[in-house]
Amino acid sequence: MYSQLCRAGRGQRDGGGGGGGRAAVRPGTGLEAWVASGGDGELELAIDGRLRRFPAVWLRDNCPCAQCLDPGSGQKLHDITDIPEDLTVAAAQDAGESVVVTYAPDGHRSVFSRSWLARHAPAEGSDHRTEDGDPRTEDGKDLWLAADLTPRAPSGPGRRPEGSWPRYLAEPAERARCLDAVLRQGFVLLHDVPAKNGMVLEVAASFGYVRETNYGRLFDVRVEPSPDNLAYTSREILPHTDNPYRDPVPTIQLLHCLRTADDGGDTGLVDGFCAAAALRAADAEAFDLLTQNPVSFGYQDKGAELCASQPLIELSPRGRVRGVRFNNRSALPLRLPYAELARFYPAYRRWAELLARPERRLNLRLGPGDCLVFDNTRILHARTAFSMSQNSAGRHLQGCYADLDGLASTLTVLRRTTGAEREARP
Amino acid sequence: MYSQLCRAGRGQRDGGGGGGGRAAVRPGTGLEAWVASGGDGELELAIDGRLRRFPAVWLRDNCPCAQCLDPGSGQKLHDITDIPEDLTVAAAQDAGESVVVTYAPDGHRSVFSRSWLARHAPAEGSDHRTEDGDPRTEDGKDLWLAADLTPRAPSGPGRRPEGSWPRYLAEPAERARCLDAVLRQGFVLLHDVPAKNGMVLEVAASFGYVRETNYGRLFDVRVEPSPDNLAYTSREILPHTDNPYRDPVPTIQLLHCLRTADDGGDTGLVDGFCAAAALRAADAEAFDLLTQNPVSFGYQDKGAELCASQPLIELSPRGRVRGVRFNNRSALPLRLPYAELARFYPAYRRWAELLARPERRLNLRLGPGDCLVFDNTRILHARTAFSMSQNSAGRHLQGCYADLDGLASTLTVLRRTTGAEREARP
């Protein structure tokens, strides 16, 4: 059934040549494969005319046979130490849409589909150095300035990510579009969420799980007589992220408007990833200072005392932006050596100025029934001061926290059923 | 009331000398202060005979006056951009236990206690480079091998962190001791937790908040007919961390034993931070490969599809270990360029071998009523295979997730009331 396509030879990594040779190219497929016996003897495969190499241990670690991968759970049944240390590819056979790999010394066999190998082929060279597959970094996002999300003509369609709660509930494709916006633009504004107590928890439950904290499952944002938090006053609050004193920080925040203020209390959103990219381009030294020095944040009331230390701009190990934290209200005294403090503060100020620029701030006025869902590791939120009149009940939002992983999972499962593909990137 | 202690002069940073001068040392206090007018004119203060310098902007950012710091919430009322950019310390005055700082150009005044300044004084030089105040890194932990937590003589007292649930409930100091163990040793074993359905949620609620996931608020670990997860079989499971496909990963896991297996099903714990430190010492190149390359993990069932990418060993921006992820069962195909894959696998194997060493594994046999609480970013857990007999109901654990920040907060608040100080470090 399998036709022998390949024979043993030395891989290119070993200098090529001696003893090795190529199997015939299969006409019409643009695909050829052969085995390297030198060193750790890998599989070599031409995909779309380009040579791709697959280390033996990588292939074996991904073997899809029922001995290696549990058919029920799809989980691997082996640990990395179960793989023979001196593993090589002894033979590779063409089997139509598959390639059958036989390993030495133990004779184990793996059957890989050609399409799977093509999709997962290790890159050659170092061009993939920054592609780390991490969905949380700037690379998977659509960065924006306020104008990017504002209709250019008064009557034109806005690109502001928004949706209607009844449609969101009724139509899986609409739900997928709204959730995708949280991952790509960092937020979505849902309208027509009934302005009822506790509805914010229903919105969270529609895509994930509430992250309960010392503020409760939900918290009321309104003026309190003896506030433990400046959020519970009528003061202006500049762009910030929530709960930087928590670790892990809640990665999603929801704010649902039950009542507006008579005047003021408007919401502003800033794309922290877009701002971080701008800082990196404009002032690499400031960017480095903010990514390399942790800042401690704290919160304290009768029942809680929280403290966490993380840089204001968090990078992936590959140096890509994967989180921002910004909240001077709860920043604790910086503990840096004197010389670094003197360098840090100008960088911190520059970052704050950049975040405060009007062109970065998307202004919204939440009305009763509006619910914002946003990525708290990326989007800073702000509000203008508002007035308190004696005759009205006053501004009242309800908020809660949730996490991005649950939202992303819900979106992926929705796409399985709706068949909706992620919109092609420009 | 305030006696003028100081006068204007050039700070040491500017070369010292010209025009500057010291105020008289206050006899008996070992403390002197003067103002530097050059550059950004900082406060200089001798504390225990050593000169400490405080940048003007740092002082102002930490001003404790009611205009700068909300007396109710303790939160800052200003943003960093509210501080004049050309701020200097114009004068500093001795006021007994306090130092009064007056700034130019705006004449704002801050009163700092001497003890606060001494406690928060910026370090000189670079000796504090790795002290980032981050409670999550290896620096705040007691690293261990199994023998460190095992009684040396059969009758001797074990150092294994454990406690009794009734005492934990009754005595705040006992509760603080148990929670401190989770932060320092990475786990605590609570005995005599009633072996009743759902009790694991009560244990979590005693110190924090349950992190609900697609597995529910709690999950049952027992043999299932069609398991979505290998945890729900009777197979051996090697040391691993849970849910590496989640981001943020749950930072605490609880496992409560309701029923033991007739034979086997023993639990093993490994200190991943201790192992990471050992890898760094033994093989710096392997350590670097594991800290710099993200690995993708995935999980999939009917209702969920999760994916996250993070390095197997996560570092703080200062290069200190702050998390481990290890779970070959759910590791997705590594996407690295060919040359890096060939280097990564030997490092991965070396790490796996190190984690599997018997001297690192603390073996426990959970009995009904035992509840393990452990740091899932640090401690790997494992179990031996177990037998299923026809006549018994079989091994049954209940688990849930929670987070370290809530636990640390509970501990800090407990210490406020019990007056219990964190045990002095050796």
Side-chain angles (χ1 to χ4, degrees):
Chain A
M1 182 172 314
Y2 297 129
S3 64
Q4 174 84 32
L5 180 72
C6 325
R7 63 185 177 90
R10 290 176 70 81
Q12 286 198 333
R13 201 161 44 112
D14 303 308
R22 296 190 181 196
V25 177
R26 278 166 55 87
T29 65
L31 185 145
E32 56 181 326
W34 74 95
V35 184
S37 66
D40 51 358
E42 67 257 358
L43 174 70
E44 297 188 332
L45 208 58
I47 296 170
D48 294 334
R50 283 182 63 189
L51 177 70
R52 310 307 285 267
R53 289 178 294 169
F54 301 83
V57 62
W58 182 91
L59 289 166
R60 178 64 165 275
D61 193 26
N62 293 302
C63 175
C65 84
Q67 226 183 308
C68 291
L69 205 66
D70 184 51
S73 65
Q75 294 187 317
K76 286 181 195 170
L77 294 167
H78 61 272
D79 198 65
I80 190 70
T81 48
D82 297 328
I83 300 176
E85 198 165 355
D86 55 350
L87 193 78
T88 60
V89 173
Q93 293 172 298
D94 171 29
E97 289 311 302
S98 304
V99 173
V100 182
V101 173
T102 307
Y103 307 91
D106 63 353
H108 189 86
R109 248 175 30 167
S110 304
V111 182
F112 296 100
S113 79
R114 288 179 190 282
S115 60
W116 189 92
L117 287 172
R119 217 160 52 241
H120 294 88
E124 293 287 336
S126 57
D127 50 325
H128 286 232
R129 195 67 189 80
T130 58
E131 282 185 19
D132 49 19
D134 180 354
R136 295 276 300 274
T137 74
E138 59 184 316
D139 298 315
K141 312 296 182 190
D142 292 344
L143 307 187
W144 53 262
L145 297 172
D148 299 325
L149 303 183
T150 309
R152 298 195 196 278
S155 59
R159 295 182 53 215
R160 194 169 78 177
E162 51 196 331
S164 127
W165 176 246
R167 273 194 68 198
Y168 172 101
L169 287 178
E171 301 170 24
E174 175 70 0
R175 201 147 71 243
R177 191 185 62 78
C178 291
L179 298 181
D180 185 57
V182 179
L183 299 184
R184 290 179 66 166
Q185 279 86 32
F187 73 98
V188 70
L189 175 57
L190 294 174
H191 302 290
D192 306 318
V193 180
K196 288 191 312 193
N197 182 50
M199 271 305 295
V200 70
L201 297 178
E202 288 193 35
V203 178
S206 75
F207 62 75
Y209 303 94
V210 170
R211 175 95 77 91
E212 191 174 356
T213 70
N214 52 297
Y215 300 133
R217 281 180 68 78
L218 70 74
F219 47 88
D220 290 284
V221 185
R222 59 187 165 193
V223 176
E224 289 183 2
S226 305
D228 283 324
N229 194 308
L230 294 176
Y232 310 148
T233 67
S234 63
R235 298 176 62 96
E236 176 182 21
I237 298 188
L238 292 176
H240 66 282
T241 60
D242 258 33
N243 290 17
Y245 40 76
R246 215 178 286 286
D247 188 357
V249 77
T251 52
I252 288 182
Q253 178 167 5
L254 293 89
L255 284 172
H256 179 218
C257 181
L258 299 183
R259 279 194 313 268
T260 47
D262 295 337
D263 190 33
D266 293 0
T267 297
L269 299 179
V270 175
D271 183 354
F273 282 13
C274 184
L279 180 70
R280 178 175 53 204
D283 189 340
E285 191 194 340
F287 182 81
D288 289 345
L289 283 162
L290 297 177
T291 55
Q292 290 163 9
N293 290 298
V295 174
S296 293
F297 295 92
Y299 174 82
Q300 193 168 343
D301 64 21
K302 261 187 230 125
E305 189 166 336
L306 291 149
C307 177
S309 290
Q310 288 268 287
L312 296 180
I313 303 175
E314 182 189 343
L315 300 182
S316 77
R318 295 275 166 78
R320 307 301 292 166
V321 174
R322 90 179 311 271
V324 299
R325 270 174 187 75
F326 194 81
N327 195 326
N328 202 53
R329 276 180 290 152
S330 55
L332 297 179
L334 271 164
R335 287 194 70 83
L336 286 174
Y338 173 85
E340 287 176 57
L341 263 190
R343 292 171 64 217
F344 187 90
Y345 265 100
Y348 184 19
R349 177 187 296 273
R350 178 136 199 198
W351 178 224
E353 284 168 352
L354 204 145
L355 290 169
R357 290 174 78 109
E359 69 268 25
R360 298 202 167 274
R361 177 161 167 163
L362 181 73
N363 292 304
L364 308 164
R365 187 169 166 82
L366 299 185
D370 286 343
C371 183
L372 261 181
V373 181
F374 59 95
D375 178 348
N376 185 51
T377 71
R378 171 183 172 193
I379 303 295
L380 295 88
H381 62 292
R383 69 145 188 251
T384 59
F386 57 92
S387 60
M388 294 286 293
S389 85
Q390 296 286 19
N391 305 320
S392 78
R395 185 179 188 262
H396 185 190
L397 308 184
Q398 285 191 322
C400 74
Y401 300 114
D403 281 305
L404 286 166
D405 53 353
L407 183 145
S409 169
T410 300
L411 176 57
T412 307
V413 172
L414 267 175
R415 284 186 172 137
R416 272 191 221 155
T417 49
T418 62
E421 278 306 303
R422 190 179 152 93
E423 195 185 315
R425 298 183 63 77
Chain B
M1 182 172 316
Y2 297 128
S3 64
Q4 174 84 33
L5 179 72
C6 326
R7 63 185 178 86
R10 290 177 69 80
Q12 285 197 333
R13 203 160 42 114
D14 301 308
R22 296 188 181 196
V25 177
R26 281 165 52 88
T29 66
L31 187 145
E32 55 182 326
W34 74 95
V35 183
S37 65
D40 51 357
E42 67 256 359
L43 174 70
E44 297 187 332
L45 207 58
I47 295 170
D48 295 333
R50 284 183 63 188
L51 176 71
R52 309 306 286 268
R53 290 179 293 169
F54 301 83
V57 62
W58 182 92
L59 289 165
R60 178 63 164 277
D61 193 26
N62 293 301
C63 176
C65 84
Q67 228 183 304
C68 292
L69 204 67
D70 185 51
S73 65
Q75 294 188 317
K76 287 181 194 169
L77 295 166
H78 61 271
D79 198 66
I80 190 70
T81 47
D82 297 327
I83 300 176
E85 198 165 356
D86 55 349
L87 192 79
T88 59
V89 173
Q93 294 172 298
D94 171 29
E97 287 312 302
S98 302
V99 173
V100 183
V101 174
T102 308
Y103 306 91
D106 64 354
H108 189 86
R109 245 173 33 163
S110 304
V111 182
F112 295 100
S113 78
R114 288 179 191 282
S115 60
W116 188 92
L117 287 172
R119 217 161 50 240
H120 293 89
E124 293 288 337
S126 57
D127 49 328
H128 287 233
R129 196 65 188 83
T130 58
E131 282 185 19
D132 49 19
D134 180 353
R136 294 277 300 273
T137 73
E138 58 183 318
D139 298 317
K141 311 298 181 190
D142 292 343
L143 308 187
W144 53 262
L145 297 172
D148 299 326
L149 304 183
T150 308
R152 298 196 197 276
S155 60
R159 294 181 55 215
R160 195 169 77 178
E162 52 197 330
S164 128
W165 176 245
R167 274 194 66 197
Y168 172 101
L169 287 177
E171 301 169 25
E174 175 70 1
R175 201 147 69 243
R177 191 184 63 79
C178 291
L179 298 181
D180 184 57
V182 178
L183 299 183
R184 290 180 66 168
Q185 279 86 31
F187 73 98
V188 70
L189 175 58
L190 294 173
H191 302 290
D192 307 318
V193 180
K196 288 191 312 192
N197 182 48
M199 271 304 296
V200 71
L201 297 176
E202 287 193 35
V203 178
S206 75
F207 62 76
Y209 303 94
V210 170
R211 174 94 77 89
E212 190 174 355
T213 71
N214 52 298
Y215 300 132
R217 282 180 68 75
L218 70 74
F219 47 89
D220 290 284
V221 185
R222 59 186 164 192
V223 176
E224 289 182 2
S226 305
D228 282 326
N229 194 308
L230 293 178
Y232 310 147
T233 66
S234 63
R235 297 175 62 95
E236 177 182 20
I237 298 188
L238 291 176
H240 66 282
T241 60
D242 258 33
N243 290 17
Y245 40 77
R246 214 178 287 286
D247 189 357
V249 76
T251 52
I252 288 182
Q253 179 169 5
L254 294 89
L255 284 173
H256 178 217
C257 180
L258 299 183
R259 279 195 312 267
T260 47
D262 295 337
D263 190 34
D266 293 0
T267 297
L269 299 178
V270 175
D271 182 353
F273 281 14
C274 184
L279 181 70
R280 178 174 54 205
D283 189 340
E285 190 194 340
F287 182 81
D288 289 346
L289 283 162
L290 297 177
T291 56
Q292 289 163 9
N293 290 299
V295 174
S296 293
F297 295 92
Y299 174 82
Q300 194 168 342
D301 64 22
K302 260 187 231 126
E305 188 165 337
L306 292 150
C307 176
S309 291
Q310 288 268 289
L312 295 181
I313 303 175
E314 183 188 343
L315 300 182
S316 78
R318 296 274 168 78
R320 307 301 292 164
V321 174
R322 90 180 310 272
V324 298
R325 269 174 188 76
F326 194 81
N327 195 328
N328 202 54
R329 276 180 290 153
S330 55
L332 297 179
L334 273 164
R335 286 194 71 84
L336 287 175
Y338 173 85
E340 287 177 58
L341 261 191
R343 290 172 65 217
F344 187 89
Y345 264 100
Y348 184 19
R349 177 188 295 272
R350 178 136 200 198
W351 179 223
E353 285 168 351
L354 204 146
L355 290 169
R357 289 174 78 108
E359 69 268 25
R360 300 204 166 272
R361 177 160 166 164
L362 181 72
N363 292 305
L364 307 164
R365 185 169 166 84
L366 299 184
D370 286 343
C371 184
L372 261 182
V373 182
F374 58 95
D375 177 349
N376 185 50
T377 71
R378 171 183 172 194
I379 303 295
L380 296 88
H381 62 293
R383 70 148 186 250
T384 60
F386 56 91
S387 60
M388 294 286 293
S389 84
Q390 295 287 20
N391 304 320
S392 78
R395 184 178 188 263
H396 186 191
L397 308 184
Q398 285 191 323
C400 73
Y401 300 115
D403 280 306
L404 285 165
D405 53 354
L407 182 146
S409 170
T410 300
L411 176 58
T412 307
V413 172
L414 267 175
R415 284 184 171 137
R416 274 191 219 154
T417 48
T418 62
E421 279 304 307
R422 190 180 153 93
E423 195 186 313
R425 297 183 62 78

